[in-house]
Amino acid sequence: MPRKAERSLKLSRQLISMSWNPRNLYQLDCKKRLFNMKQKTLFQHMWKAKRDTRGYHDANISETQWLRMFNPQLPTYNVKLGNRPSHPNTASLMYACMERRLDFIVFRSHFASSIWMARQLVTHGKVKLNGKRLPYPSHKVKDGDVISVDPEVVATLKKPENDSKELEFAPQPYQQPWMFIPDYLEVNYNTCSTVFLREPMTRPSVTEVPSPYPPDFHALSFEFYLRRGRNRKSFGLYKRSTQPVAGRACTSDTQCVQFRSDQVGGRSKHEKTSRLGEYACVNDICRYVVQAGELCRAADDCAAFHTNQRLDLNVSSSSWCAPEFCSLESTCGGAWTLPGAPENAPPGAESRRPVTNGTVTCCRGLPSNSQCALISASVDACGSGYACDSRNLCMSQEPHQQQVWIGVLLVLVGGATLNIGLNLQKYAFRKHQARLLVQEAGDDKDDDESSEPEPVGRIRRFRTKLQGLPIGSPYWAIGLVVFVLGNATNFIALQFAPQSLVAPLGAVALVTNVIIAPLLNNERIGLFDIGGIALIIAGCIIVVVFSGIVQQNLRLCMLIQLLRARPTAIYLCVISVAIVATYMFLWSVERALKRHESEDAGPATPLDKWIPPVSPASRYVRFGLPLAYASMGSLMAALTTLFAKSLVNLLSTSLLDRENQFTSFVPWCILLVTVFTAASQVYWINQGLLRYDALLQVPVFYVVWTVLDIVGGGVYFNEFKLFTTVKYVLFTLGVAVIFSGVGLLANRLKST
């Protein structure tokens, strides 16, 4: 057996060859079911089809030789008379030219057990063409040529036991179920000869080219070679087609997809397998069909309608295209804006703002657990929130339970990590303050012995400020790094879980605060502290269980529309006003406290005359400042989470879905706001930890941040749309329990 035959017959290669070897027949039986077409990209489909079909029609032909033989201009059969079935895809005839080869004819006539043996018979002069020996296996015969083989070398011919001169055709038993004679050959085993009648062709529901693969599989292989740059250029197919795809005659969905590819100048290597809309061959005419929730003019525009007819599902529906199937996303960069889509789009497709007033109609999808299929191998026919799985059934896609649990785990890890970072920074502040006290005591002794003048002016003020910062401490640097890692983990968790679930779970990290704070910062824990933290955790659990959670990936267009919504504008205005008011309160109280410490000094600025001095025992200092610093960090954190969730959606769509969302000014503004609010959050949290107890700052920070994040997720991302009366009551109860815990923690204000 030739080496190439041995390689082709290896079971590990999973290739079918032109051979009657038992191993090859085993591969043929195993290949009855093709590979899963749904979990591959279009290029992988074509490459797999090219590999398998070329592996079968190999015959020692190199790729360069095959490219010279490849003919992109195939005959077209599109005749359909009455109830007669139409012709199969003519792409199956791409290998028809090879059936004229001399070695192919010897094998198809069953005079050789493999294509390699047929080639050997021809080269050894055992085969005659029209009575003459021709030792060239690649010679292409003409119609009516007679090919004869020496009977002594034909393994399937058996000499008769009696004196009869007729030879008996006796193949092996395992070969008989697979053997047949093509219609374009006329074989006579008595004379051991074959007549080549004509080139293979297609007939209604039959293709005459012998192949273990269906015609649509050959169509993918044909498209692979058609897309190759050298062939497109040599065949004059590299130019974009100006003829509209809709209305063109077709024989399969693949042909319509190729028409669309030619119109847009070829497919991109990053083109997704799933599409919102694609051309399909409907009644031998290419028609643009879209998935559920997309705009439509009639039922013929809907993929679910054609799937219902193709699979005979008998899904009863009064209307496949109606206004009740539209959503906010229907008119926001949908299927009718894709490259190659028809120009005559339905009303609302060119609107810059969502149209939800009932003037547009959208497609319905197939219901849950119904049989489904992908139109043109890319358009899902299932309804919104469902997808066609590997079992060809419409299954629910929201919420993704596994993804939600990944998000929950990331939030717990990120919250604990963030809390450890905060306490490390507090530990650095405490150590730094102790070191400053020791230095001040030493400086007082040195002042009595030395009369060297101290630097005055800006240099002294700058040195004083620098000494008050623990930037040089390794504990502070490690705490900052750990804090940033915790925020990054929470940032990643927003991709797997909704904001209304991420925010409450962040308060679970208060348990870490109870363990870490006494160890690092020598802070005592009382019964009120434990009870307050327990109430906060219980309230957060109630809020999570009885909150409406809607996880969805939004494109830039949808995010802009959500930002323009009135509830979102009111929420952002309230947060902005709260930030300004909190900052003014902090500035005025700090300024008043400084005036009290230096009562002899007059007003330093014109505004000081409106700010009366405040003593350290005042409630504004004891109660207001600690809560204000924690609330300022929480307000910044709420904006960070809100815009970070939007940024995660944009990055996910750009990187995973290959749709670049950073092509305008808006996404870059979202990125800048996220970075600015994250840096401000770190600053204000450090300012609070520098002045007050971590067991007070951290819980208040988490509580205010959690409440604001839940409200922000419900307002901005519409995560409260599934709320019922019971859920509203229990959600309010959860918030009340959280504030009860804050009330218990307020007892620490007496000792600050």
Side-chain angles (χ1 to χ4, degrees), residues 484-539:
V484 172
L485 289 177
N487 276 295
T489 306
N490 289 332
F491 178 80
I492 298 174
L494 291 172
Q495 175 61 25
F496 299 97
Q499 180 177 327
S500 59
L501 181 60
V502 171
L505 289 178
V508 179
L510 297 176
V511 178
T512 310
N513 187 60
V514 174
I515 300 174
I516 298 298
L519 296 177
L520 293 180
N521 301 315
N522 297 326
E523 299 174 1
R524 295 181 179 181
I525 301 176
L527 294 178
F528 287 104
D529 300 329
I530 298 176
I533 292 176
L535 286 177
I536 291 173
I537 295 175

Side-chain angles (χ1 to χ4, degrees), residues 679-696:
S680 301
Q681 168 192 346
V682 175
Y683 172 78
W684 288 109
I685 289 176
N686 278 275
Q687 290 296 317
L689 292 175
L690 184 64
R691 292 169 171 83
Y692 303 102
D693 197 342
L695 279 176
L696 171 67

Side-chain angles (χ1 to χ4, degrees), residues 64-373:
T64 304
Q65 291 173 324
W66 164 243
L67 289 177
R68 290 198 217 100
M69 299 168 57
F70 176 70
N71 180 19
Q73 308 297 335
L74 295 178
T76 302
Y77 301 98
N78 195 26
V79 180
K80 188 173 182 180
L81 301 176
N83 295 327
R84 293 180 58 189
S86 60
H87 287 258
N89 198 313
T90 55
S92 60
L93 298 178
M94 63 179 296
Y95 296 107
C97 59
M98 302 178 69
E99 298 299 322
R100 289 184 176 271
R101 288 173 55 99
L102 202 55
D103 51 356
F104 269 60
I105 296 175
V106 173
F107 175 76
R108 300 293 187 201
S109 303
H110 305 302
F111 294 142
S113 60
S114 66
I115 190 64
W116 301 283
M117 183 178 179
R119 181 181 179 87
Q120 190 178 41
L121 294 179
V122 175
T123 55
H124 289 184
K126 304 298 182 180
V127 179
K128 295 182 180 180
L129 177 64
N130 297 328
K132 296 182 180 180
R133 293 186 179 183
L134 189 67
Y136 304 114
S138 61
H139 178 78
K140 293 184 178 180
V141 303
K142 299 178 181 178
D143 297 348
D145 285 351
V146 179
I147 299 94
S148 57
V149 183
D150 186 358
E152 297 293 335
V153 297
V154 180
T156 54
L157 292 181
K158 182 180 179 182
K159 293 183 179 180
E161 296 179 358
N162 51 19
D163 297 335
S164 176
K165 295 183 179 180
E166 294 184 358
L167 300 175
E168 182 181 355
F169 182 67
Q172 296 293 334
Y174 59 82
Q175 299 177 356
Q176 295 179 8
W178 310 94
M179 284 187 165
F180 68 96
I181 303 296
D183 293 340
Y184 54 88
L185 297 179
E186 185 176 339
V187 183
N188 189 338
Y189 291 105
N190 294 325
T191 60
C192 204
S193 61
T194 300
V195 179
F196 186 83
L197 302 178
R198 53 177 172 77
E199 188 167 325
M201 58 181 295
T202 60
R203 293 182 285 111
S205 16
V206 176
T207 177
E208 292 184 348
V209 176
S211 175
Y213 303 103
D216 289 340
F217 204 66
H218 283 267
L220 292 172
S221 177
F222 177 77
E223 188 175 353
F224 176 86
Y225 286 107
L226 202 62
R227 288 184 59 192
R228 294 192 61 164
R230 56 178 297 182
N231 289 311
R232 294 180 68 86
K233 187 173 182 180
S234 60
F235 300 139
L237 300 175
Y238 62 96
K239 296 182 180 179
R240 294 188 179 185
S241 175
T242 58
Q243 183 179 359
V245 180
R248 295 183 65 174
C250 61
T251 58
S252 66
D253 294 343
T254 305
Q255 191 174 11
C256 294
V257 175
Q258 181 61 45
F259 290 156
R260 193 263 305 169
S261 177
D262 292 338
Q263 187 183 46
V264 300
R267 291 188 181 89
S268 171
K269 64 179 180 180
H270 300 305
E271 184 172 334
K272 296 189 298 182
T273 304
S274 60
R275 288 173 56 90
L276 300 176
E278 186 57 278
Y279 288 95
C281 190
V282 180
N283 297 327
D284 299 332
I285 294 177
C286 292
R287 186 178 185 88
Y288 196 69
V289 296
V290 298
Q291 71 176 22
E294 296 295 326
L295 296 174
C296 60
R297 290 181 298 267
D300 288 340
D301 295 334
C302 302
F305 173 75
H306 295 292
T307 303
N308 184 41
Q309 289 188 335
R310 291 183 178 185
L311 301 180
D312 295 331
L313 301 180
N314 297 323
V315 177
S316 59
S317 177
S318 58
S319 177
W320 291 93
C321 183
E324 57 264 24
F325 304 125
C326 294
S327 62
L328 189 65
E329 197 173 0
S330 298
T331 56
C332 189
W336 300 94
T337 60
L338 296 176
E343 296 181 357
N344 54 340
E350 300 297 332
S351 177
R352 295 185 178 180
R353 304 185 65 179
V355 181
T356 56
N357 53 8
T359 59
V360 297
T361 54
C362 301
C363 286
R364 178 202 171 180
L366 296 178
S368 175
N369 295 324
S370 64
Q371 190 178 0
C372 61

Side-chain angles (χ1 to χ4, degrees), residues 438-608:
V438 173
Q439 291 178 357
E440 289 179 358
D443 291 341
D444 293 339
K445 295 181 179 180
D446 294 338
D447 290 340
D448 297 337
E449 301 176 358
S450 175
S451 59
E452 183 179 352
E454 289 287 336
V456 296
R458 295 182 180 179
I459 298 178
R460 182 176 182 180
R461 291 197 299 269
F462 178 76
R463 189 176 68 178
T464 304
K465 282 187 177 182
L466 193 61
Q467 290 177 349
L469 296 176
I471 298 177
S473 173
Y475 295 104
W476 185 87
I478 295 174
L480 180 62
V481 172
V482 173
F483 179 80
V484 172
L485 289 177
N487 276 295
T489 306
N490 289 332
F491 178 80
I492 298 174
L494 291 172
Q495 175 61 25
F496 299 97
Q499 180 177 327
S500 59
L501 181 60
V502 171
L505 289 178
V508 179
L510 297 176
V511 178
T512 310
N513 187 60
V514 174
I515 300 174
I516 298 298
L519 296 177
L520 293 180
N521 301 315
N522 297 326
E523 299 174 1
R524 295 181 179 181
I525 301 176
L527 294 178
F528 287 104
D529 300 329
I530 298 176
I533 292 176
L535 286 177
I536 291 173
I537 295 175
C540 291
I541 294 175
I542 295 174
V543 168
V544 171
V545 174
F546 299 101
S547 62
I549 297 176
V550 179
Q551 170 68 6
Q552 52 188 348
N553 291 324
L554 304 174
R555 301 194 302 271
L556 176 62
C557 178
M558 281 295 299
L559 292 175
I560 293 176
Q561 302 306 331
L562 292 175
L563 282 172
R564 292 178 177 176
R566 182 176 297 177
T568 305
I570 294 175
Y571 172 78
L572 293 178
C573 289
V574 170
I575 295 294
S576 301
V577 171
I579 290 175
V580 174
T582 306
Y583 178 79
M584 294 301 298
F585 174 80
L586 288 171
W587 181 84
S588 59
V589 174
E590 292 281 0
R591 194 71 183 173
L593 188 61
K594 288 183 179 180
R595 289 196 61 190
H596 179 270
E597 293 175 354
S598 56
E599 294 182 354
D600 298 336
T605 61
L607 293 178
D608 286 348

Side-chain angles (χ1 to χ4, degrees), residues 1-44:
M1 184 183 294
R3 284 186 181 177
K4 190 163 187 178
E6 292 181 359
R7 291 197 304 269
S8 299
L9 294 176
K10 281 186 177 180
L11 296 180
S12 59
R13 299 193 67 187
Q14 297 183 357
L15 289 176
I16 302 176
S17 304
M18 297 174 63
S19 172
W20 297 110
N21 189 285
R23 285 185 291 177
N24 188 65
L25 297 181
Y26 171 78
Q27 294 278 24
L28 184 62
D29 185 69
C30 293
K31 284 273 185 172
K32 288 182 179 179
R33 294 185 62 185
L34 299 178
F35 69 106
N36 190 356
M37 301 281 286
K38 296 175 183 177
Q39 299 180 356
K40 304 288 184 180
T41 63
L42 182 59
F43 178 80
Q44 288 173 320

